[in-house]
Amino acid sequence: MSQGKTAVVPASLGVLGIQRGGGAFMASKAKAAPPRASDEKEDHSLEKFFKENQYFFLPWVCLACVQLAVFQTPCIAAWCDRQGLEPLGAQSVIQMTVFAIMAQYVVHGALAVYHDSLVSQGLKIQDKPYIFRAEEVATRSSVLIMASMTAYALTPMNHGEASLLEIFIGYSILSLLHDAWFYMVHRAAHTQQLYALIHKTHHKWKQPMAFSAYFIRSPSQMLQEHACIIPCMVLLPVPVYSFLLYQYIGAPLSMLEHCGFRVGELTLPVLGLVNLPYFGYLKLEHLMTVLGGGLSLIFGSQTVEDHDYHHLNFHGNYALSFSYLDRIFGTYVEQSQSKSTADEALLKV
């Protein structure tokens, strides 16, 4: 997941204050990527994907074996029983998988439908044609989501009753610890020793889109997410409800973070018609803050523009959800800053 993980994907951007104007279509004509003659000949089917990635599931099988071996060890199994920990199970995994896969298509489809209006409003971040045809990205992303979510089926979690406060505390623990872990791993992945090995695949897309959020290699996903989340669920007071909330909110936000548009500036339906003191007109970014438990108000937000800059320049803005670590360690770079400032951030890797 990636992944600021604090937003819900709207079913349609049409209700978020997007208006169609006479000049919208003409504006989009210059932004829409023309179809290439080779597109129709390219095969991005699952069959071809597995032919080219024959060992794609091997890391996930290894992770499953490790979890079985560790959590079935008598002393550890007895400890889990005393703590009331039980494996997440297949049902929850299937539901999370279906939701996440559908979410990326919803985001991509909504952006494609309202692309003209978004461009005419100046919400597109990079001045490059939007990639409408994304079979290659969608294929790898969907398979990766399936494997990533399934890996949690064997993870012991606390299924007991939890109060709203306990759920919030658990959600906050996952958000803050995973963000810190992601920052360290992500920054290390951009070193010369590790970049080509585990992270280069994700940066194939300098202009990210919803599907590119999970366009990564299996070892990279396991290292960035599972190596942190699994120990948190076993060792810390995090209810299963906090984990589910983190996944159901986090996956769509990661896709929005990679969408290439300033979607946070879109006004909310109905609520966005009211001009509130201090907040102004309510926008999607306000909803994202609320769904994140308000933590970004304290630790700063990793915006769509911040991560888009990272994809375009391959450095700076390494955190997942918050900006405080990038600011503390001098790797935070706003998109509007000069190239010299960006080069300074690169030297600090």
Side-chain angles (χ1 to χ4, degrees):
M1 173 184 5
S2 136
Q3 333 51 327
K5 290 194 171 185
T6 49
V8 170
V9 175
S12 170
L13 294 183
V15 297
L16 292 178
I18 299 179
Q19 303 295 327
R20 288 191 174 276
F25 177 76
M26 295 304 295
S28 68
K29 295 288 283 185
K31 301 295 182 180
R36 298 173 299 174
S38 59
D39 282 348
E40 297 182 358
K41 299 180 181 179
E42 294 178 355
D43 181 12
H44 299 302
S45 64
L46 282 173
E47 181 180 0
K48 182 180 180 183
F49 174 81
F50 286 118
K51 283 183 179 180
E52 296 177 346
N53 301 271
Q54 298 180 14
Y55 303 104
F56 178 86
F57 286 114
L58 181 58
W60 301 105
V61 172
C62 293
L63 177 59
C65 292
V66 169
Q67 289 197 79
L68 284 172
V70 171
F71 298 129
Q72 292 301 317
T73 302
C75 60
I76 297 179
W79 183 85
C80 289
D81 288 338
R82 291 194 299 271
Q83 301 299 319
L85 304 180
E86 299 177 359
L88 179 61
Q91 181 177 346
S92 295
V93 161
I94 293 174
Q95 292 171 344
M96 291 192 307
T97 301
V98 172
F99 175 82
I101 291 177
M102 290 179 62
Q104 61 183 353
Y105 283 95
V106 169
V107 175
H108 181 74
L111 292 174
V113 169
Y114 294 100
H115 172 271
D116 296 5
S117 297
L118 292 168
V119 171
S120 68
Q121 294 182 58
L123 296 179
K124 193 171 189 307
I125 298 174
Q126 295 188 33
D127 187 21
K128 297 178 181 178
Y130 183 73
I131 304 173
F132 290 100
R133 305 186 64 168
E135 296 106 316
E136 177 187 1
V137 205
T139 298
R140 173 178 282 273
S141 176
S142 298
V143 176
L144 194 283
I145 287 174
M146 181 179 65
S148 179
M149 297 298 184
T150 302
Y152 290 114
L154 299 174
T155 304
M157 300 185 185
N158 184 357
H159 291 256
E161 294 184 1
S163 65
L164 291 178
L165 178 60
E166 290 172 330
I167 294 174
F168 173 76
I169 292 175
Y171 181 82
S172 300
I173 290 174
L174 291 179
S175 298
L176 293 172
L177 291 185
H178 188 205
D179 180 78
W181 174 264
F182 187 93
Y183 176 86
M184 293 185 294
V185 173
H186 190 192
R187 188 171 177 181
H190 276 267
T191 59
Q192 293 182 355
Q193 297 83 353
L194 296 176
Y195 180 76
L197 182 63
I198 65 174
H199 199 54
K200 185 177 181 179
T201 298
H202 183 64
H203 275 278
K204 179 178 181 178
W205 307 98
K206 295 185 68 175
Q207 179 184 208
M209 70 192 84
F211 293 111
S212 62
Y214 284 89
F215 190 84
I216 51 181
R217 298 185 61 197
S218 295
S220 179
Q221 173 68 359
M222 292 169 56
L223 185 60
Q224 291 180 350
E225 180 175 327
H226 297 76
C228 173
I229 299 298
I230 292 177
C232 285
M233 297 308 302
V234 176
L235 301 175
L236 299 178
V238 180
V240 67
Y241 306 108
S242 301
F243 169 80
L244 294 175
L245 188 65
Y246 188 68
Q247 292 295 334
Y248 279 112
I249 290 179
L253 179 60
S254 183
M255 297 161 193
L256 283 176
E257 192 178 55
H258 288 80
C259 75
F261 291 85
R262 299 180 181 88
V263 292
E265 298 180 16
L266 297 174
T267 56
L268 294 173
V270 183
L271 295 177
L273 300 175
V274 181
N275 189 358
L276 299 177
Y278 180 74
F279 293 101
Y281 292 99
L282 294 182
K283 300 179 180 180
L284 183 59
E285 60 186 1
H286 297 129
L287 177 61
M288 294 160 66
T289 300
V290 171
L291 292 173
L295 296 176
S296 61
L297 297 176
I298 302 174
F299 300 100
S301 176
Q302 190 74 232
T303 66
V304 178
E305 295 94 323
D306 291 338
H307 196 68
D308 199 279
Y309 180 95
H310 174 80
H311 269 265
L312 181 61
N313 296 279
F314 298 97
H315 55 77
N317 303 337
Y318 297 106
L320 177 65
S321 305
F322 311 112
S323 61
Y324 76 103
L325 287 175
D326 278 300
R327 295 179 186 276
I328 289 175
F329 294 105
T331 54
Y332 182 74
V333 183
E334 294 186 32
Q335 194 172 10
S336 60
Q337 287 183 282
S338 65
K339 183 179 183 300
S340 60
T341 304
D343 291 337
E344 292 177 3
L346 177 62
L347 295 174
K348 295 179 181 179
V349 173

